Amino acid sequence: MKEIKLFINGEFRNSIKEFTTTNPANNEAVAKVYLPTEKDIDEAVDAAEAAFYSKEWREMDQNKRADILEAISEKMKVRRNELTELEIADSGSCVRKAKADVHNAASYFKVLAGQLRKFQFEVKDESASRAGFSNNFKIYEPIGVCAQIIPWNFPLVMAAWKIGPVIASGCTTVLKTAQETPVTAFVLAEILKDVGLPKGVVNIITGGASEGAYLLKNPKVRKVAFTGSTNVGRKIMELAGKNLQRLSLELGGKSANIVLDDADLSLAVDGALYAFLYHSGQACDSGTRLFVEEKVYPTFKEALLKRVAEVKVGIPTDPAAGYGPVINKKQFESIMGYINTSKIEGAKLLFGGERVTGGEFDKGYYIKPTLFEVTPDNTIFNEEIFGPVVAITPVKNDEEAIKLANKSVYGLAGAVWSKNPERARNVAKQLETGTVWINEYHLLNPGMPFGGYKQSGLGREMGEEGLKAYLEVKHLWISDCDERAKKPWFDAIF
Ligand code: NAD
């Protein structure tokens, strides 16, 4: 069994408390994990603060930080098999998803390195400057010590999205992993040590809600970056308000997937299944509200029901598995609760709606792909389920699709399927969400911003916006006028 020690000030250490993580596929123990005490968390923050003010980190050139990011990417590739196996065991990710996660996390560090080399930390604003009066510069500086909290669904990718911009910006951090899935972030910690990241720049701890809340209450923390549910996001915002910490929130979603009547239907059917079934539906940007225009709905529905029967729910190590178990019993019960509510409310169950059982399946919590036909007043039209369940609603036309798509407190992602680029773009532009795909789903580009409108979040990760989320901007005014009489303030108080 793997042993996970806290990573504080560049060293791995035990603590007086511990817990065990289990494999969602079979409930077998994966790792013995040390849980930090309040003293450990304080020491991690102290280490991050000392690193932030250390000469070595403050004076490190941006190209050297980019070298570190590239080295992390390379080392991750070298350890890709180990990372993949651990991610499968710890999070119940299927082998194809876990491989993609390791690849995406490694690529992210590489892309970020490229962005960092080009990023101008000092920019003279010519339009705001005037010869003989003033020269004006924007200077981007790291915010300081960060507290970062991540969820269990994409553990390695989430850790990469958090640690990457910390290193790129020159900040420092204490990252808290999710209680359910701490393992791969600590392999990343070994890699950080291996590539020579100065000690204390990145500290990684374990724990749940109480450790997370304790961490971000530390007054030395200047920025909080949280990914998780909207409900917890609200609590985080309240806590961060006390010390007016800078805040990034990546929260839940109920994303709309819209099939227009001129779509390539066979592509849209597969896209719709991929959109809500990927990682058992445990993705924040899942396309869980499916709108299909009435004209093509009967044909689409028939093809969808035929195709969904071909999706293989399987144990995560099986390369043929399309998706596997949900993370744990609590999540399973929550999903089944939504399925029951939908039945009681009169939503029409088209497929699934039950647990997959027998043999290996009885050791974990597997749920059949579940399709409901719903109206906008059904609970599952509105609430995030985080499981393999889709709410399908036929719509009259583009306008109704847009109106219903925007009828949500969430605004994380969405998609439009159509063969007419102009029409699809017109619909896409009217969706109130942070990402919209046309004839695509789930794919993210590390060079582009990702985040939510409305209650799906605050701020962006990745892209230039993601880097700037870790920077303060200073206006540096350099006078270009040394004649007292020409200064506008000269006679102000004399
Ligand atoms: P969660 O909100 O329950 O927990 C997320 C993290 O917050 C965990 O590390 C948890 O230990 C910690 N936490 C919980 N309560 C806390 C508190 N009071 N103070 C401080 N920390 C606390 O979410 P989850 O169940 O782990 O993940 C699923 C949710 O995450 C879904 O809603 C999903 O949509 C969202 N998510 C969003 C994105 C995104 O980029 N927008 C990405 C992945 C997941």
Side-chain angles (χ1 to χ4, degrees):
M1 188 164 54
K2 202 155 171 74
E3 196 181 50
I4 299 297
K5 297 183 178 182
L6 309 173
F7 183 60
I8 297 174
N9 206 22
E11 300 299 333
F12 290 93
R13 56 148 105 159
N14 300 347
S15 83
I16 51 168
K17 298 195 273 182
E18 61 186 59
F19 63 100
T20 306
T21 59
T22 53
N23 185 332
N26 51 28
N27 269 309
E28 284 169 14
V30 174
K32 175 174 126 178
V33 182
Y34 289 98
L35 186 69
T37 59
E38 292 187 351
K39 185 166 171 286
D40 292 320
I41 298 173
D42 287 342
E43 285 175 13
V45 175
D46 288 347
E49 188 185 54
F52 182 66
Y53 287 112
S54 70
K55 202 168 148 49
E56 182 186 17
W57 189 236
R58 281 191 95 79
E59 292 182 0
M60 190 179 282
D61 175 75
Q62 71 193 81
N63 281 311
K64 177 77 177 71
R65 297 205 302 277
D67 292 344
I68 291 176
L69 291 170
E70 273 173 9
I72 295 168
S73 179
E74 287 310 311
K75 293 271 177 196
M76 286 179 80
K77 284 183 202 156
V78 172
R79 296 180 70 172
R80 67 162 78 82
N81 292 340
E82 176 194 0
L83 281 164
T84 304
E85 278 169 28
L86 289 171
E87 198 73 330
I88 292 170
D90 207 30
S91 68
S93 297
C94 280
V95 59
R96 287 183 277 165
K97 183 257 182 191
K99 274 186 183 170
D101 283 359
V102 175
H103 171 82
N104 291 341
S107 304
Y108 174 61
F109 283 108
K110 173 104 177 134
V111 172
L112 186 58
Q115 284 175 339
L116 177 57
R117 289 191 201 282
K118 283 191 247 145
F119 188 80
Q120 288 185 285
F121 283 85
E122 279 197 29
V123 186
K124 183 174 177 191
D125 190 328
E126 294 292 353
S127 65
S129 302
R130 183 152 52 89
F133 184 52
S134 68
N135 290 312
N136 293 276
F137 295 84
K138 286 182 199 164
I139 302 192
Y140 292 95
E141 297 175 341
I143 291 174
V145 175
C146 305
Q148 301 177 305
I149 297 176
I150 56 175
W152 45 258
N153 57 345
F154 287 72
L156 185 63
V157 172
M158 294 293 112
W161 286 14
K162 293 285 180 280
I163 291 169
V166 162
I167 297 173
S169 61
C171 286
T172 60
T173 192
V174 180
L175 169 82
K176 188 195 82 63
T177 51
Q179 183 95 359
E180 298 83 353
T181 55
V183 175
T184 46
F186 287 87
V187 177
L188 194 51
E190 287 170 12
I191 291 174
L192 300 179
K193 196 169 157 79
D194 210 15
V195 301
L197 183 73
K199 65 178 187 173
V201 169
V202 173
N203 305 274
I204 306 182
I205 61 168
T206 62
S210 55
E211 287 76 14
Y214 184 79
L215 165 63
L216 58 88
K217 279 186 204 151
N218 190 312
K220 292 178 181 169
V221 169
R222 292 193 195 153
K223 178 184 167 86
V224 174
F226 169 82
T227 300
S229 60
T230 293
N231 278 340
V232 176
R234 263 186 268 279
K235 292 185 197 161
I236 301 286
M237 196 163 186
E238 253 176 62
L239 288 172
K242 185 162 181 283
N243 293 319
L244 288 178
Q245 288 154 327
R246 305 293 177 266
L247 187 60
S248 302
L249 297 173
E250 295 285 355
L251 307 176
K254 191 78 201 175
S255 298
N257 198 9
I258 301 173
V259 180
L260 303 185
D261 57 17
D262 62 357
D264 174 335
L265 289 190
S266 98
L267 189 66
V269 161
D270 284 6
L273 292 170
Y274 169 57
F276 86 93
L277 290 176
Y278 193 53
H279 194 31
S280 321
Q282 302 169 121
C284 52
D285 60 1
S286 284
T288 50
R289 287 184 305 150
L290 179 58
F291 298 102
V292 185
E293 293 198 335
E294 280 172 2
K295 204 169 130 195
V296 292
Y297 186 56
T299 322
F300 181 88
K301 186 162 121 179
E302 193 188 331
L304 186 71
L305 291 176
K306 195 160 164 251
R307 195 72 167 138
V308 72
E310 293 168 19
V311 173
K312 183 167 184 217
V313 186
I315 57 163
T317 45
D318 175 1
Y323 74 88
V326 298
I327 186 82
N328 55 26
K329 186 165 186 248
K330 185 169 158 240
Q331 188 64 15
F332 169 76
E333 285 172 351
S334 163
I335 298 164
M336 293 312 290
Y338 276 112
I339 290 173
N340 285 335
T341 303
S342 306
K343 289 178 184 166
I344 293 164
E345 288 177 358
K348 188 172 170 196
L349 180 66
L350 300 178
F351 193 89
E354 55 192 23
R355 185 174 178 177
V356 183
T357 51
E360 281 294 307
F361 291 121
D362 291 339
K363 296 182 184 165
Y365 296 98
Y366 297 79
I367 299 174
K368 284 188 182 163
T370 298
L371 284 74
F372 276 103
E373 224 167 56
V374 307
T375 54
D377 53 352
N378 284 122
T379 303
I380 63 161
F381 182 92
N382 299 296
E383 295 185 17
E384 183 182 50
I385 301 173
F386 230 52
V389 183
V390 71
I392 311 173
T393 310
V395 287
K396 284 189 194 64
N397 50 33
D398 298 14
E399 287 67 39
E400 192 183 23
I402 295 161
K403 195 169 150 222
L404 289 180
N406 288 339
K407 192 178 163 353
S408 173
V409 295
Y410 296 111
L412 189 58
V416 185
W417 299 83
S418 165
K419 283 193 210 148
N420 179 337
E422 207 178 314
R423 182 178 170 200
R425 205 182 150 90
N426 180 41
V427 174
K429 283 177 75 177
Q430 294 183 69
L431 299 181
E432 297 170 342
T433 70
T435 298
V436 188
W437 294 276
I438 293 177
N439 299 329
E440 197 55 88
Y441 213 93
H442 281 312
L443 300 188
L444 297 180
N445 180 332
M448 296 299 287
F450 178 74
Y453 283 24
K454 302 191 271 184
Q455 293 184 30
S456 284
L458 201 66
R460 294 290 180 272
E461 290 192 297
M462 303 197 291
E464 189 176 298
E465 291 78 2
L467 176 56
K468 282 189 173 165
Y470 286 81
L471 298 168
E472 294 280 14
V473 59
K474 177 181 280 169
H475 170 200
L476 179 65
W477 173 310
I478 303 179
S479 175
D480 196 30
C481 162
D482 43 19
E483 283 177 59
R484 286 198 333 165
K486 283 192 180 166
K487 292 198 181 271
W489 52 266
F490 179 54
D491 56 359
I493 56 165
F494 303 105

